[in-house]
Amino acid sequence: MTTITEHDLVQSIEDAIQYISIYHPLDYIHHLARAYEREESPAARDAIAQILTNSRMCAEGHRPICQDTGIVNIFLKIGMDVRFDTRRSLQELCDEGVRRGYRDDDNPLRFSIVAEPLFDRRNTRDNTPCVLQVELVPGDTVDVQVAAKGGGSENKSQFVMLNPNDSMVDWVLKTVPHMGAGWCPPGMLGIGVGGTAEKAMLMAKQSLMDDIDMHELLARGPQNELEALRVELYQKVNALGIGAQGMGGLTTVLDVKIKTWPTHAASKPVAMIPNCAATRHIHFVLDGHGPAELTPPSLSEWPQVHWQPDYKAARSVNLDTLTREEIATWKAGERLLLSGHMLTGRDAAHKRIRDMLARGESLPVDFRGRVIYYVGPVDPVRDEIVGPAGPTTANRMDGFVDMMLGQTGLIAMIGKAERGPEAIASIKKHGSAYLTAVGGAAYLVSKAIRSARMLAFEDLGMEAIREFEVRDMPVTVAVDASGESIHETGPRQWRARAEAVAALISSAPPSTQPHVRKKI
């Protein structure tokens, strides 16, 4: 009989929370580095370079790889010869570990969990509770998997109940383009097939805990039907040309994972959950001999990719003198380096602005001639101006775009991923623009911020309205004043090339496929 103490479990989870906030899994870094080497799209290659640079910076500076430090998922496989020396529930113990991990003084993480999902949605201020899954298994150890899942990728989770003879591949290829870029590709897809609806969703989430091994699988070739299906989906999804950050390119996914379970003869439940560029998970085992020992990876594991502003390829923009006339000269796909002052605000702030305008109240901030950045930053530590401050998914604010452009005098917006038809129409009507920053490069982006001050709605925490002063903040024109969107034109432009690359790889002998990919 193995005894696990409260301290061992709580401390291990606390340490795991900090670890995964700072370090990408090395399998992700290695596969992303290979994708960078073969990427041909300038926009996608620049985005991947920012993600890789950000990752190394976080490993060096011990700061979060993304400002959205996620909702915590914990999977426990508890041996039946294990006892816990505690009178508290496993949920309470895991939540205590999460609470301590997020409140760490040296690396505080952003609190993103709201206690009540339907009504007031008040932040719990410690990122608890976690989502806990427990399974009893033979043995005398506790197998633990800890993951932090960002809202951008979690919100793109998909489920369908197919007929038994329907093609899962067809459904995936039809669904992925409609997921947009809010899940911050390149990442991976986790797919669960079989069981019941909730079992399929759980398998999809669990599959994301597996190591990325597509490079190795292509090298040796698939050895069973499931592996062959993974390769088929990997090649066909990448052939869509969606690319890094959805701007068009050769790599949309680094891997596809599939788990299955027996199901009813009348059913084929299929769940699909993406993992984003801020892939965060770790696996360890507790055997009664103390907390888990988590060894930081060597910096030599990161590729020698160091993103720097490209003053020749990007246009410098002074936000303090920006006019609609200048915005009208920007073109979708153009890279900009922003300097000057911008405002911040996201979901809760926009809702409050709408409510105030509906009541005829004056706004606490003057938006006329200003640019707003959709961001919820991490609190600063030491000599930081602000903590990691990457963009949040912009289309959650689509319903507010016409109000902000038409009633407040706002002239442009910054976020991540695509805008919907309603927002694009409003941008065109008002001669505005939408700019996209790279999701997964939050710490890198924060280094462009030279000052920050609170302006309004301080009670909203990370969702408050602030003013940032930035210097050379990298963005891409995602929707220009004519209504052209890089998230529509980019994938369309790169699809033919991505299809050709996928066809060339699939026709090569398995042992040469990694070499072919690198050569391409």
Side-chain angles (χ1 to χ4, degrees), residues 157-288:
S157 301
Q158 307 289 324
F159 176 80
V160 66
M161 192 67 78
L162 294 176
N163 291 320
N165 293 319
D166 289 344
S167 167
M168 184 198 76
V169 172
D170 289 348
W171 176 78
V172 170
L173 296 178
K174 177 182 177 181
T175 302
V176 169
H178 294 289
M179 286 162 52
W183 59 282
C184 291
M188 61 188 291
L189 297 177
I191 299 174
V193 184
T196 51
E198 77 282 3
K199 179 66 174 180
M201 292 299 294
L202 182 58
M203 288 190 296
K205 179 62 69 65
Q206 287 176 313
S207 73
L208 296 175
M209 305 301 109
D210 293 344
D211 288 345
I212 298 174
D213 64 351
M214 184 55 68
H215 176 77
E216 294 76 14
L217 175 54
L218 291 172
R220 63 171 169 80
Q223 298 178 352
N224 54 54
E225 289 181 318
L226 201 59
E227 289 186 344
L229 183 58
R230 285 178 55 201
V231 170
E232 178 185 2
L233 282 170
Y234 167 78
Q235 293 172 341
K236 289 183 174 180
V237 169
N238 282 329
L240 295 172
I242 295 169
Q245 305 293 298
M247 294 187 290
L250 301 183
T251 300
T252 303
V253 292
L254 302 174
D255 204 340
V256 178
K257 300 294 187 182
I258 305 172
K259 288 187 180 294
T260 64
W261 193 261
T263 192
H264 194 285
S267 304
K268 188 192 281 188
V270 181
M272 179 167 62
I273 303 177
N275 230 4
C276 64
T279 293
R280 293 165 295 200
H281 60 88
I282 194 168
H283 173 231
F284 56 87
V285 175
L286 298 178
D287 59 7

Side-chain angles (χ1 to χ4, degrees), residues 19 21-24 29 47-66 107 297-309 381-382 384 386-389 440-450 472 474:
Y19 186 100
S21 79
I22 295 169
Y23 303 113
H24 268 118
I29 291 298
I48 296 173
Q50 289 191 44
I51 295 168
L52 288 169
T53 301
N54 181 79
S55 180
R56 174 185 280 274
M57 289 172 60
C58 293
E60 292 172 335
H62 290 191
R63 292 297 272 145
I65 56 180
C66 182
N107 183 37
S298 169
L299 289 174
S300 64
E301 297 284 356
W302 273 259
Q304 293 302 312
V305 177
H306 304 279
W307 183 90
Q308 293 290 336
V381 295
R382 298 179 286 280
E384 292 179 344
V386 68
Y443 196 40
L444 174 65
V445 170
S446 74
K447 297 306 180 183
I449 301 171
R450 301 311 167 99
D472 294 335

Side-chain angles (χ1 to χ4, degrees), residues 389-412:
T392 196
T393 307
N395 56 29
R396 297 201 311 274
M397 270 59 72
D398 278 5
F400 300 105
V401 169
D402 201 60
M403 173 195 75
M404 294 298 293
L405 298 180
Q407 298 184 47
T408 73
L410 190 75
I411 59 174

Side-chain angles (χ1 to χ4, degrees), residues 72-103:
V72 177
N73 292 247
I74 299 178
F75 299 88
L76 299 181
K77 292 183 179 180
I78 302 174
M80 288 184 283
D81 290 326
V82 170
R83 64 176 295 273
F84 288 90
D85 185 14
T86 182
R87 293 191 177 278
R88 292 198 282 177
S89 70
L90 287 172
Q91 182 73 54
E92 290 173 319
L93 294 179
C94 291
D95 284 345
E96 182 62 25
V98 171
R99 183 177 298 112
R100 294 182 186 182
Y102 275 75
R103 287 180 168 174

